[in-house]
């Protein structure tokens, strides 16, 4: 009875609610949000500079933004991000599965991955623009380059980490290759993919910001830089807040996807 009581106490908070419940998570996020805004307000009050307006000024500017224009900017940026992620997942998943399941392909592709992975991808932005132009293709390819190598390595290692006897169990039940792939290989790879996407999203957004400075009239990166050049600091910070909010929503979507399709990791 004592052991059971200890286990139950370890899973719940002081008030008896689960420590990892949505309500508890929301409370922690709200607390951090308030603390950051208090610090922001204090620093703005101490500096008294136009370049750092107070939170109230920025949120007033946020409410005054053109809704249609901002939806176009956000939609353009999200289209580029999703296209880049999709391209990286297609190439990375196929390559990682091939390397994880085939020692021959792993020996062939391993040196290629390890020689090209350390190259700073942002340095390839001028090269991508020279070959692909200033349009959508170069922006999407740059985002894909940020993600694809991490996806390949994570999927390969995730597939390799699956014990061989796990497949033997399904083999003894008469399962075919497709059943083994959907029941064992894909869940093992999916776990690595979600972790990689969660880690790489911040870098992908940074690259997106740089790519949207050139050759475009829409996108959150373009909007923020345009406001900066016009010395519209409240508008610039309002754009940064929107950009950050979109990134936060993508993190939440990844968590929801994991909760929906990978309940076994709970």
């Amino acid at each position: 009875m004592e052991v059971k009581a200890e286990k139950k106490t370890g899973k719940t908070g002081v008030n008896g609610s689960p420590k990892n419940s949505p309500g508890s998570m929301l409370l922690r996020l709200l607390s951090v949000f308030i603390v950051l805004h208090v610090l922001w307000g204090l620093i703005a009050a101490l500096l008294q500079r136009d370049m750092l307006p107070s939170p109230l000024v920025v949120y007033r500017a946020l409410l005054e933004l053109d809704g249609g224009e901002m939806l176009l900017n956000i939609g353009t940026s999200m289209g580029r991000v999703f296209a880049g992620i999709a391209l990286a997942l297609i190439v990375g998943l196929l390559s990682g599965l091939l390397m994880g399941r085939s020692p021959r392909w792993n020996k062939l592709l391993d040196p290629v991955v390890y020689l090209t992975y350390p190259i700073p991808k942002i340095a390839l932005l001028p090269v991508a623009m020279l070959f692909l132009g200033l349009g959508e293709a170069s922006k999407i390819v740059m985002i894909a380059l940020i993600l694809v190598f991490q996806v390949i390595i994570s999927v390969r290692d995730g597939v390799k980490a699956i014990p061989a006897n796990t497949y033997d169990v399904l083999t003894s039940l008469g399962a075919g290759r497709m059943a083994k792939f959907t029941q064992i290989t894909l869940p093992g790879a999916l776990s690595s993919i979600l972790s990689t996407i969660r880690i790489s999203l911040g870098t992908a957004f940074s690259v997106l910001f740089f790519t949207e400075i050139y050759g475009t009239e829409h996108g959150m990166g373009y909007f923020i830089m345009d406001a900066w050049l016009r010395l519209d600091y409240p508008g610039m910070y309002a754009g940064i807040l929107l950009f950050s909010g979109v990134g936060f929503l993508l993190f939440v979507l990844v968590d929801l996807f994991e909760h929906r399709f990978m309940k076994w990791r709970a």
Side-chain angles (χ1 to χ4, degrees), residues 79-100:
R80 292 162 180 162
V81 168
F82 284 130
I85 291 177
L87 180 60
L89 288 179
I90 292 172
V91 177
L93 182 61
L94 293 176
S95 303
L97 289 173
L98 193 62
M99 294 171 66

Side-chain angles (χ1 to χ4, degrees), residues 186-266:
L186 186 58
L190 187 60
S191 173
S192 303
I193 289 173
L194 291 178
S195 298
T196 300
I197 291 177
R198 192 180 285 110
I199 294 171
S200 305
L201 271 177
T203 308
F205 267 76
S206 300
V207 174
L208 175 67
F209 176 82
F210 282 107
T211 59
E212 288 185 335
I213 297 175
Y214 306 99
T216 184
E217 295 183 353
H218 302 293
M220 291 306 300
Y222 169 80
F223 175 84
I224 293 170
M225 289 303 297
D226 180 65
W228 175 65
L229 292 173
R230 291 185 288 103
L231 302 182
D232 180 13
Y233 297 124
M236 180 188 74
Y237 283 101
I240 293 173
L241 284 177
L242 278 178
F243 208 20
S244 303
V246 171
F248 174 76
L249 288 179
L250 287 180
F251 270 86
V252 172
L253 285 176
V254 173
D255 286 342
L256 290 176
F257 186 88
E258 181 180 44
H259 179 73
R260 173 65 179 83
F261 294 100
M262 304 182 66
K263 296 181 183 295
W264 53 272
R265 291 192 67 182

Side-chain angles (χ1 to χ4, degrees), residues 19-170:
K19 290 184 178 180
N20 295 323
S21 65
S24 177
M25 182 64 178
L26 183 61
L27 182 60
R28 291 196 298 269
L29 289 173
L30 184 60
S31 300
V32 173
F33 181 82
I34 293 173
V35 169
L36 290 177
H37 278 68
V38 170
L39 291 176
W40 176 8
L42 289 175
I43 296 173
L46 290 173
L47 290 180
Q48 291 291 322
R49 303 281 295 276
D50 291 338
M51 65 179 64
L52 184 61
S54 68
L56 291 177
V57 174
V58 173
Y59 279 102
R60 189 180 303 119
L62 181 63
L63 294 175
E64 293 174 355
L65 293 176
D66 187 306
E69 179 187 358
M70 297 316 299
L71 283 176
L72 178 59
N73 288 325
I74 293 173
T76 302
S77 294
M78 289 302 94
R80 292 162 180 162
V81 168
F82 284 130
I85 291 177
L87 180 60
L89 288 179
I90 292 172
V91 177
L93 182 61
L94 293 176
S95 303
L97 289 173
L98 193 62
M99 294 171 66
R101 294 293 293 160
S102 172
R104 180 180 300 177
W105 279 103
N106 186 51
K107 290 181 181 179
L108 181 64
L109 297 177
D110 214 31
V112 178
V113 172
Y114 277 92
L115 285 174
T116 54
Y117 179 61
I119 299 175
K121 308 306 180 295
I122 194 63
L124 297 177
L125 178 58
V127 179
M129 289 183 172
L130 283 174
F131 281 92
L132 301 173
L134 300 177
E136 298 298 307
S138 59
K139 298 172 176 56
I140 293 172
V141 167
M142 284 303 303
I143 295 173
L145 283 175
I146 292 294
L147 298 174
V148 66
F149 292 100
Q150 299 178 53
V151 173
I152 291 174
I153 295 174
S154 297
V155 172
R156 182 205 63 184
D157 293 345
V159 172
K160 279 186 173 182
I162 300 174
N165 58 6
T166 307
Y167 292 98
D168 294 338
V169 172
L170 288 184

